[in-house]
Amino acid sequence: MSQSVKRTFAVFVEDKPGVLNRVASLFRRRSFNIDSLNVGATHEAGVSRMTIVCDADEDKAKRIEANLYKMVNVLWVDDITHKQSINRVLALIKVNCNREQRDEVLKICDVFRARAIDMSPDRVTIEITGPQDKVEGLVSVLRPFGILELVQTGTVAMTRGVEKHELAHPTVPASRNSAA
Amino acid sequence: MTPANPKLKNRIGESLSGSQIIWEALVREGVEVCFGYPGGAIMPAYDAMIQYPIHHVLTRHEQGASHMADGYARASGQVGVCIATSGPGATNLVTGIATAMLDSIPMVCITGQVPSQLIGSDAFQETDITGCTIPVTKHNYLVTEPEQIAPTIREAFYIARSGRPGPVVVDITKDAQQKSCVFEWSDEEIVLPGYRPDYAPLAEQLDEAVDLIKNAKRPILFSGYGIIKSQATETLKKFIETTNIPVACTLLGLGGFPATHPRNLGMMGMHGETWVNKAIQDADLIIAVGMRFDDRVTGNLKTYAQNAKKIHIELDPAEINKNVRVDVPIVGDAREVLEALMPRVENCDRPDWLAYIDEIKGGSAVRDIKNLPDLGKLYAAHVIHDLYRFTEGKALVVTDVGQHQMWEAQYYKHDYPRKLLTSGGLGTMGFALPAAIGAKFAEPDESVWVICGDGGFQMTAAELSTCAQEGIKVNVAIINNGFLGMVRQWQQFFYGGRYVATPLLSPDFVKLADAHGLTGLRVEKRSEVEAAVRTAEATQGTVVIDFRVEQEDSVYPMVPAGADLHNMIERPGKPGGSEHNPIFETGKDD
Ligand SMILES: Cc1ncc(C[n+]2csc(CCOP(=O)(O)OP(=O)(O)O)c2C)c(N)n1
Ligand SMILES: [Mg+2]
């Protein structure tokens, strides 16, 4: 058995009612644990794209892929874990921050390339996008100030190269046949 | 493609109601029989049904309808169809849908739904049946417009029967049934962008398989349900007759390779033959075809077939490496893959390996209850063995779930595919009688026998009334042991013999048959079995036989759940031995 690592799947699905439910139901019933799931429109009409992050070893990843493909509404699955890719989450963080602390907080934001987007005399709201670990870094530095609220999206991810997914009639990736 | 039904008027281009379109579509998909139960949300569809050449079988419970559609599909290889109303009608189908899902049975279930403007309002008899059945269907649909009905039903049949088959639910709102639209029907090939039912084996994987087969000294081939589904029996026979590889069957694979073929070892797994399981543990190559290494066939995975390389020929890529890691996966149709391998495998006699298996077989066969004299007691194994003899192995047998199911698998030798229907994956008690009714509609010329327990029979016994109303004949052999026998056996073996909630009081089954206007017989001695079987075969209409068998017999051999496959509990004692076993008591035939 290979090591269990965080895996990222780009999953293209038909934009139809209930598809998110079907995908979520699959992960639940096969006890594949989802870390995060993001879904949104793509540039193609009728096609949505999900980014799913979950823990899985190599075998399990193949089975997740194969099970996703079994769903009629799933068009294309790409396990981009080991591909050169860009992974981003967006977080909004509201922290305690009085006048004396403000400079320091804004400096921290600079270091993390985060932005203060709202401010009141005793708190500031910060927006950050970046890989999950960068967001976690910012959160840990801000924690001593007192975090009042935090919200973040799941990861969205894209490979660096131009991958042509022929969305209308996807061909089957080799891994569908060679699961070994 | 769509077989033109001469009884169907061409109404393409006319304005039809959604209800009419449902039947137009079903008839065009080749449906002649459907099983169902009416109710408010499906009444428009029922009202339109009489205009169409479809025979509707009114069941006594929607679970019966789904099992009948399932039995129809298993017997014929065609898609089975059931129909029910919204809410309780639809939820009652679910057990049958889940049963079909786990055994990959092609089925289309039409359900009525509350009017679309009421969806989500907890309306009378509203259940989110598409939501409920996502995990137990291959796919499902909610249809709210009459225009969607025809294309959706076409798609449903296509999905149900292609690739690895499975049940598909089409939930149709009442208003969609009532509204009209121009009926259109396309005969073009269906292309679904996200659905790929067919895979061709990869050349390098075939090469690797050929190599492994060539070099194997102790190979064994597993014949699963995939052999039957892909109609690979003849191909497999040729393959085996060339390679002389011994064959082990899964429960659902029985009949896919002739039971009486000299290379057929029998069933594997929890209640498989000892020699089969031992051969698996000793093998150096497993060629698994159309099966999925269920926990009931592998036992403890850590000690399972450790010396064997494994080739897995399977249509569903998601089954590869799910339970057992394999060396060579070949994703494809069982028959096509065997045909591709066939010209590349060599003649081989394997005298040592076959002699070795014969030797371990010889040791176990002594314990076979079938070989014991008639000591005046009626054992289930005797009943089933006799049934096999007197029906000359030709009956279409439908079993329920429990001890009798395992005895049937051990003692009724199936030489032909689609002659044993049983709920393997889900193990659904109550399956047998309704599934047999469905099978009888699919194969009216077959002699259909139900073999069920006193427990399971009572779960769906109301369908006797369906037999009576339809005037159809199935023979029902109730293996009546007064217990939920399989559970009692586990209590005996693993729960200190505490028989909690397993003793079972039953009605007088002979009178029950009589109350339905059917024939009931009772058998208490082995000497009466033959006459009863012959009477049943000769009697018109459904016959129920109450076989009063020994109450506390157990199914042997047995691999306890999760135990090593080679550590089987064998039937204790043997003739001349001293261990106590009720079977070996001398009894008076009184
Ligand atoms: C619907 C359902 N409920 C419970 C079970 C668990 N179960 C498996 S075998 C069995 C006993 C079956 O008893 P019976 O029908 O009399 O058959 P026997 O084992 O005695 O031959 C039970 C309760 C099941 N398989 N299906
Ligand atoms: Mg019983």
Side-chain angles (χ1 to χ4, degrees):
Chain A
M1 284 283 137
S2 64
Q3 280 248 313
S4 193
V5 297
K6 282 238 178 309
R7 301 218 159 235
T8 307
F9 294 92
V11 183
F12 296 80
V13 299
E14 288 180 284
D15 177 17
K16 287 195 174 165
V19 175
L20 176 59
N21 190 189
R22 287 175 200 278
V23 171
S25 168
L26 166 70
F27 276 75
R28 179 188 50 76
R29 91 169 182 276
R30 301 267 179 202
S31 40
F32 303 145
N33 236 328
I34 300 184
D35 260 36
S36 75
L37 188 158
N38 177 281
V39 57
T42 66
H43 62 294
E44 307 251 342
V47 176
S48 304
R49 176 167 175 157
M50 295 181 178
T51 305
I52 303 175
V53 180
C54 63
D55 264 323
D57 62 22
E58 203 66 43
D59 272 355
K60 198 166 179 177
K62 288 270 158 54
R63 276 193 292 124
I64 290 174
E65 195 178 323
N67 275 291
L68 281 166
Y69 268 123
K70 269 168 73 165
M71 305 182 72
V72 173
N73 304 120
V74 171
L75 302 169
W76 181 283
V77 184
D78 199 358
D79 180 352
I80 61 174
T81 312
H82 299 303
K83 292 186 179 173
Q84 283 275 343
S85 59
I86 304 158
N87 297 268
R88 291 290 180 270
V89 300
L90 168 89
L92 301 176
I93 309 161
K94 196 181 287 169
V95 288
N96 275 324
C97 175
N98 56 32
R99 205 158 298 163
E100 295 79 63
Q101 296 168 311
R102 209 173 271 161
D103 275 356
E104 192 185 350
V105 166
L106 291 179
K107 229 175 262 158
I108 292 170
C109 287
D110 264 359
V111 171
F112 282 89
R113 298 222 190 105
R115 294 193 300 146
I117 52 168
D118 192 26
M119 207 174 271
S120 64
D122 55 358
R123 52 183 188 266
V124 57
T125 303
I126 298 161
E127 175 193 318
I128 179 170
T129 61
Q132 182 72 44
D133 54 351
K134 180 173 151 192
V135 172
E136 279 163 17
L138 175 62
V139 169
S140 68
V141 178
L142 290 175
R143 204 173 285 285
F145 295 89
I147 294 180
L148 297 166
E149 244 184 279
L150 184 149
V151 60
Q152 61 173 308
T153 64
T155 302
V156 294
M158 187 179 267
T159 55
R160 287 187 185 274
V162 186
E163 289 200 39
K164 196 85 186 106
H165 301 305
E166 290 183 25
L167 293 177
H169 296 284
T171 51
V172 182
S175 58
R176 289 186 76 174
N177 257 349
S178 54
Chain B
M1 277 296 317
T2 311
N5 188 320
K7 293 185 220 148
L8 194 64
K9 261 197 352 214
N10 183 7
R11 306 186 71 171
I12 293 173
E14 288 178 35
S15 174
L16 301 182
S17 68
S19 299
Q20 290 173 302
I21 294 174
I22 293 174
W23 301 107
E24 288 281 343
L26 291 176
V27 173
R28 282 163 200 278
E29 287 297 336
V31 178
E32 291 169 357
V33 191
C34 73
F35 307 91
Y37 211 98
I42 196 72
M43 278 184 69
Y46 269 86
D47 188 47
M49 185 171 70
I50 44 169
Q51 306 165 28
Y52 290 90
I54 282 198
H55 179 74
H56 177 269
V57 177
L58 177 67
T59 66
R60 295 301 177 267
H61 188 295
E62 289 87 352
Q63 182 186 352
S66 48
H67 288 326
M68 286 180 207
D70 175 320
Y72 183 95
R74 287 182 203 241
S76 64
Q78 308 297 312
V79 179
V81 177
C82 59
I83 178 164
T85 191
S86 65
T91 56
N92 273 349
L93 293 176
V94 172
T95 299
I97 296 171
T99 303
M101 182 67 180
L102 272 195
D103 289 345
S104 312
I105 306 302
M107 195 157 105
V108 168
C109 315
I110 310 278
T111 51
Q113 181 55 279
V114 300
S116 49
Q117 69 276 12
L118 292 184
I119 284 184
S121 71
D122 302 322
F124 178 63
Q125 297 196 324
E126 180 186 1
T127 298
D128 171 16
I129 199 63
T130 41
C132 287
T133 57
I134 284 175
V136 292
T137 50
K138 187 168 169 188
H139 195 54
N140 63 23
Y141 300 88
L142 170 64
V143 178
T144 55
E145 299 293 339
E147 293 82 3
Q148 300 167 346
I149 293 176
T152 304
I153 290 180
R154 263 195 89 211
E155 216 173 281
F157 274 81
Y158 168 65
I159 289 172
R161 64 163 78 98
S162 57
R164 180 176 179 177
V168 179
V169 167
V170 182
D171 192 29
I172 307 175
T173 58
K174 191 169 185 177
D175 54 319
Q177 298 169 45
Q178 287 163 328
K179 281 194 256 174
S180 293
C181 70
V182 174
F183 171 57
E184 277 165 300
W185 184 262
S186 147
D187 269 336
E188 271 161 41
E189 197 190 328
I190 297 181
V191 180
L192 299 175
Y195 180 66
R196 224 355 255 276
D198 52 330
Y199 296 92
L202 300 183
E204 60 268 30
Q205 290 168 346
L206 290 175
D207 293 345
E208 286 176 46
V210 168
D211 262 1
L212 285 182
I213 294 169
K214 191 178 293 169
N215 295 321
K217 294 273 172 296
R218 301 184 307 279
I220 184 164
L221 184 139
F222 292 173
S223 179
Y225 203 15
I227 291 286
I228 296 173
K229 285 173 190 290
S230 70
Q231 298 172 291
T233 297
E234 286 310 311
T235 314
L236 178 60
K237 256 199 291 196
K238 272 186 233 146
F239 185 86
I240 295 303
E241 275 155 19
T242 306
T243 58
N244 267 309
I245 296 174
V247 175
C249 297
T250 65
L251 174 64
L252 287 184
L254 294 175
F257 185 69
T260 53
H261 193 284
R263 286 289 84 75
N264 195 336
L265 303 179
M267 186 171 72
M268 66 176 99
M270 181 175 275
H271 292 294
E273 312 289 2
T274 41
W275 60 86
V276 181
N277 289 342
K278 281 185 183 148
I280 292 170
Q281 295 297 65
D282 290 338
D284 67 355
L285 175 67
I286 288 172
I287 309 166
V289 193
M291 56 83 73
R292 57 186 173 89
F293 293 104
D294 182 86
D295 54 272
R296 285 293 186 267
V297 311
T298 61
N300 183 359
L301 286 170
K302 291 206 178 70
T303 58
Y304 180 70
Q306 282 174 315
N307 306 316
K309 294 264 186 213
K310 296 168 191 89
I311 301 170
H312 193 183
I313 300 171
E314 165 61 48
L315 189 56
D316 179 0
E319 291 298 342
I320 305 290
N321 289 333
K322 185 177 80 177
N323 300 334
V324 169
R325 256 203 94 76
V326 298
D327 300 277
V328 180
I330 304 182
V331 178
D333 172 81
R335 179 158 48 97
E336 280 169 28
V337 174
L338 286 175
E339 272 165 7
L341 290 173
M342 193 51 217
R344 303 178 57 186
V345 292
E346 292 163 0
N347 252 305
C348 187
D349 289 339
R350 333 188 172 275
D352 295 348
W353 175 227
L354 295 179
Y356 170 75
I357 293 175
D358 272 347
E359 190 188 308
I360 51 179
K361 195 169 176 173
S364 321
V366 183
R367 293 168 181 270
D368 195 333
I369 177 172
K370 181 181 88 192
N371 298 329
L372 296 170
D374 177 1
L375 298 171
K377 297 202 169 184
L378 188 60
Y379 286 97
H382 287 152
V383 174
I384 290 161
H385 180 61
D386 287 352
L387 199 58
Y388 165 63
R389 284 165 52 215
F390 302 135
T391 57
E392 291 161 17
K394 290 189 182 133
L396 192 167
V397 181
V398 187
T399 57
D400 214 75
V401 173
Q403 292 184 311
H404 63 278
Q405 178 190 30
M406 293 301 119
W407 279 314
E408 196 283 345
Q410 294 175 341
Y411 292 104
Y412 201 110
K413 304 288 175 206
H414 290 280
D415 277 340
Y416 311 97
R418 300 197 185 279
K419 291 298 192 84
L420 167 59
L421 317 184
T422 196
S423 164
L426 200 64
T428 310
M429 284 173 71
F431 170 80
L433 177 59
I437 295 171
K440 185 70 183 182
F441 275 99
E443 302 292 338
D445 299 332
E446 297 275 352
S447 156
V448 175
W449 280 82
V450 169
I451 297 181
C452 62
D454 41 342
F457 174 70
Q458 291 186 74
M459 282 200 171
T460 50
E463 303 301 346
L464 279 183
S465 170
T466 309
C467 296
Q469 181 168 357
E470 291 292 328
I472 63 148
K473 173 173 184 56
V474 296
N475 294 314
V476 183
I478 304 174
I479 306 299
N480 184 352
N481 54 11
F483 277 101
L484 300 177
M486 187 56 94
V487 178
R488 185 211 59 75
Q489 173 171 346
W490 283 50
Q491 288 170 333
Q492 178 192 333
F493 288 8
F494 313 120
Y495 292 87
R498 292 177 295 279
Y499 292 170
V500 181
T502 46
L504 180 71
L505 180 73
S506 294
D508 181 328
F509 292 128
V510 176
K511 281 193 187 149
L512 185 71
D514 196 46
H516 286 90
L518 304 171
T519 309
L521 303 169
R522 177 164 297 120
V523 171
E524 283 162 319
K525 287 183 246 166
R526 189 170 187 187
S527 55
E528 302 163 353
V529 176
E530 177 168 7
V533 172
R534 298 208 189 282
T535 307
E537 295 248 276
T539 304
Q540 268 216 335
T542 291
V543 177
V544 177
I545 313 178
D546 178 18
F547 286 102
R548 294 290 182 89
V549 299
E550 280 302 302
Q551 298 210 321
E552 296 187 40
D553 192 14
S554 292
V555 182
Y556 299 99
M558 175 174 191
V559 183
D564 305 335
L565 192 61
H566 50 275
N567 284 333
M568 307 193 73
I569 305 174
E570 294 195 55
R571 188 172 276 284
K574 48 181 135 174
S578 55
E579 294 151 90
H580 172 77
N581 181 339
I583 286 175
F584 303 110
E585 286 168 8
T586 42
K588 287 204 303 297
D589 195 356
D590 50 13

